[in-house]
Amino acid sequence: MDDKTASQPRYNTAPNPDLMEHQAQPRVSFTGVTARVLPLKASLNTLQDFCDNYLNFPDDRRDMKASQRDYFKPAVPYVYFQMINYGKMATESENLGWIAQNEILFSIPLEWYRVDAKNNLVFHDWALICPFIFVDNDMSLTTGREAYGWSKVRGWLEWVPTSWTRDPRSPRRLLSMQTEVYPELYVGAEAEARTLLEVTQQQPPSISPSLLTQRDPFNPLWGIPDAVRGSIKLYGDLFETFMNLPILGASRRDADSLSRMSGRALQNLRAIVPWFGASASKAPCASPDGQHIAGAESHKLYFNQVTLKQFRDAAEPEYACYQALVNSKITVDHYYDVGLLGGPNLVVGDLSGGFRLKVHEYDEYPIVKALGLEVEEKQRDEHETPLSLLKPTMPFWLSCDLRYDTGDTLAWRGKHSPTWNTRLDTSRISSGESPPMNPFNNTRGAATQEVAGPFIYPDATVRVFPLLADSDTLLRFCDDYLNRLEEGDATGIENSSFEPWGEYVYMIVTSYGDEYGGKSYAERGSIGRLAHREISFCLPVKWMETDGQCTTLKSLAVLTPYMFSDSSRHVISEREINGRDMVHSRISSNDDAWLQESGPVRPRTLATLQTLLLPQLNEGQPAAMRELIEITEKDVESYNEDVPWAVIRAKWEPELLRDLKRKLMQRSAGEEDWEAMLQMFRDVCGGQEAINFLALKQYRGTENVDRACYEALVLLQRNIQSITDMREIHRSLHVRIHQYPTMPIVKTLGLKVKAVDSSGKSVVQHLEPIRPFFMRVSMRDELGTNLFSRINSMKWQTDASGGMQRETIGLTDKQRRLVASISEPKALIEWLLSEKFAARDPAYYEYDPQEPLFMRSNFGMSQNSAILDANSKPQSED
């Protein structure tokens, strides 16, 4: 193991072991990369302010030793707008599979200095920082943010219609990118897909016999003045770049720095032209890891990428639980071609090539203001949103193959770290009574995407699908996820262990509406509505505590190993604040089959979930959006015409019989105990008791991404404040989960499969929920509590902010005894849902042995059913 990562625990891969292990492979190759680059003039002074606030931490200079400081300056008064198409992205070490993506970013060239012992700036290398990045690939979004600190945001490229048919002289729209934005901040609005960036180009000049035609390249009345103006501006920009005058916002460079810069420039030149001269190899410059460059591999052209890797604290989101300055290296493996863009326009003296970049100025994406971009013209779009028109200088394109190597942590700190640390095994928390609080860096504005709670959901419809599961598999998952976080560590976290409570996993489909009680909002200042639709798999667990030789029940909690949401902002917020492993997906409901030609009796697919998946591992297959989950009225026999129904029934009926007998055994408890346990459930439904959720919050290390730089056990509490409606779903619903190795839900949780359908494009595992139900509720999600945490260390520590709520999660002695007597909580849920609960009729649990059990698997006492539309009232059906 590398000395740098010897102190880091292994990244936990329990929910998805195969894919997560492969994602830890270093050196990602990018084959067939094409980049289009628009250099944009910017203010050096504004760029320096941005670097100071985002990378140099001017308020924290007291925290870092002078000999360990890294300092960054803008190298040129330009920001490079880049549109990059990655033809094929794959790990080099194993042909896991590959993904393709488009990436749009703003990059700033930097001068990277080190502060020596005498507090002097010593030039170290050139670097780039990309504060605003938009990608159209979900895998790249989460991995890039959590492993390296790339500030990536989900974007979508729009289809751009041609304007040539309307007017052959009108500018062509070459690119249009949308992303989720709040049209207005802090007004409770829902995020919308709006256009954020557009690239247009003037039509190439045409030859005209008229001297009055402005764009005629042979017309000296217009062409010569344009060329002169463009040349003067270009020379002015070059003067500002190379003279580096302080009056223009630049900082002065000393002779030693200039010498080192020249040496690094010669080194780059030798990487392009290796026979240029041996003197270049003697340049007084070191590689980013501090080693002098040697060997053929080191002589390749590379670019340093500096990022600020940071995550909000779950309990106090205005502070950062982890911050690090990270440097990673992109190497050019093969160069194909390069050229200028807009050649015909350049001929007539238009140094922009006719290109224009339109930036729609939303408050959460302060691109123009934060980077000090020079604006040619101000406009407004169709939504009356301010729009800045930017004019590039000498745009160009290039084509090459790239390789992305593992990164290096330059310095890091936790929420209570008194200093920045440069060694991964340095202690993170001071021993003083008042440890410092390190704030989350908000220099980029709200584009960081995380939205912190507490959250209030006045109108949420929660549909619960109880799925039978294998108890041994559930116990093995608890062991892998929390009980055995380190090899040989039998107790995991602070003498705590977890075991499944019952043999059910609950698939919960939630839609957040606004019909009853108003819109959802964040209590501490809501930027806007966060969530829309969500699907999660929940596992109830017993939280055990070991004290010497005695193990006692501490509390109850819920694990959520798989979560999906159709809001990218919701995904990022849950992953980076609360630590839940949520995945961005498309969740849709298509309940219109009732009006189709097949008539109202045809079984319908009520909801589908699609997400980005690799169809197979280690086969070099591309990732694609595929269906993963379906909720349907279709029974399994309609998918298995070649399999006798008796075969399926013979397999499934014993499972139902065993489940029913297990529930009947719960009635052996005394009437007083039974009533007390039911009262506990009523307290939860009535808001007197919170539902505890546990999440293992973890982020990958930079040097080795199979290690974790930060881990925390986070307690999340949800209070159901009121219930508007609560009923069983009387329809015979089924859950179909498509089998993919990159999302092994059924295998990991041991869900019991009724039948398997292999007639389509993928293998589908058919599951039947046992007495599903729905609730329409008002609920509140509290801020998290950090129970235990560790940063670049094997040892767990009690978080300073975790003690406030720890005592509220424990059970009383009476409650512990009651929970111990109930092995299957599903029996209590069914009893509460039954219409005969009020009379406590024992006949409720009686069944006729002659009646086919598969007919009873979804039986219910209510004659009403709930439809899946988000805010519709349930309709009665016969």
Side-chain angles (χ1 to χ4, degrees), residues 428-429 493 710-713 786-791 793 795-800:
R428 67 179 182 89
I429 298 180
I493 304 175
Y710 176 87
E711 281 188 330
L713 182 64
N786 300 309
L787 302 176
F788 309 101
S789 63
R790 55 186 179 184
I791 305 179
S793 172
K795 185 179 179 180
W796 291 98
Q797 299 190 36
T798 302
D799 197 286

Side-chain angles (χ1 to χ4, degrees), residues 660-678 821-824 827-828 830-831 836-837 839-846:
L660 186 58
K661 288 182 177 180
R662 189 172 69 254
K663 296 172 185 174
L664 289 171
M665 290 178 62
Q666 305 306 309
R667 295 297 292 129
S668 61
E671 186 70 19
E672 181 180 351
D673 291 347
W674 182 259
E675 181 62 31
M677 195 66 188
L678 289 172
S821 66
I822 301 296
S823 62
E824 184 49 74
L828 291 168
E830 293 181 1
W831 188 253
K836 295 188 178 183
F837 168 73
R840 291 190 292 275
D841 187 352
Y844 173 74
Y845 283 104
E846 295 179 0

Side-chain angles (χ1 to χ4, degrees), residues 814-843:
K814 180 178 181 180
Q815 289 173 334
R816 290 192 186 96
R817 181 173 57 82
L818 292 173
V819 172
S821 66
I822 301 296
S823 62
E824 184 49 74
K826 181 65 165 56
L828 291 168
I829 296 174
E830 293 181 1
W831 188 253
L832 285 171
L833 288 169
S834 172
E835 288 185 345
K836 295 188 178 183
F837 168 73
R840 291 190 292 275
D841 187 352

Side-chain angles (χ1 to χ4, degrees), residues 69 72 136 225 245 305 461 496 645 663 676 747 864:
R69 284 285 315 267
F72 302 91
D136 60 0
L245 298 178
Q305 302 282 341
T461 303
S496 296
W645 176 244
K663 296 172 185 174
K747 178 182 177 181
N864 297 307

Side-chain angles (χ1 to χ4, degrees), residues 470-629:
D470 178 69
S471 58
D472 292 336
T473 305
L474 293 178
L475 180 59
R476 184 164 57 250
F477 173 79
C478 290
D479 288 341
D480 294 339
Y481 186 60
L482 290 177
N483 296 338
R484 291 196 294 262
L485 290 176
E486 293 301 327
E487 186 176 355
D489 183 3
T491 57
I493 304 175
E494 292 292 319
N495 298 324
S496 296
S497 61
F498 304 86
E499 60 185 50
W501 188 29
E503 298 185 16
Y504 275 90
V505 172
Y506 298 86
M507 189 185 84
I508 299 180
V509 182
T510 306
S511 54
Y512 301 94
D514 56 9
E515 182 180 350
Y516 296 155
K519 303 174 182 177
S520 58
Y521 62 95
E523 187 179 74
R524 300 173 57 160
S526 179
I527 189 174
R529 294 178 61 183
L530 176 65
H532 185 208
R533 288 173 173 173
E534 173 189 323
I535 295 180
S536 58
F537 289 81
C538 299
L539 170 61
V541 295
K542 294 180 180 179
W543 185 349
M544 313 300 292
E545 195 169 43
T546 302
D547 183 12
Q549 301 297 321
C550 181
T551 300
T552 58
L553 177 65
K554 177 181 178 63
S555 187
L556 298 173
V558 177
L559 306 182
T560 53
Y562 299 99
M563 299 185 72
F564 306 88
S565 174
D566 60 359
S567 167
S568 60
R569 192 180 295 268
H570 188 200
V571 170
I572 295 300
S573 299
E574 286 289 352
R575 294 181 71 98
E576 298 190 7
I577 299 179
N578 296 328
R580 287 171 162 171
D581 193 15
M582 183 174 279
V583 177
H584 184 249
S585 308
R586 298 173 187 165
I587 303 175
S588 58
S589 177
N590 184 20
D591 197 8
D592 59 355
W594 191 79
L595 295 176
Q596 293 181 359
E597 292 82 357
S598 57
V601 296
R602 181 180 179 179
R604 294 167 286 184
T605 297
L606 301 180
T608 59
L609 181 147
Q610 293 180 318
T611 191
L612 190 65
L613 297 164
L614 286 169
Q616 189 57 262
L617 291 174
N618 307 319
E619 297 294 339
Q621 296 297 307
M625 291 294 295
R626 293 175 177 261
E627 285 189 357
L628 179 64
I629 299 173

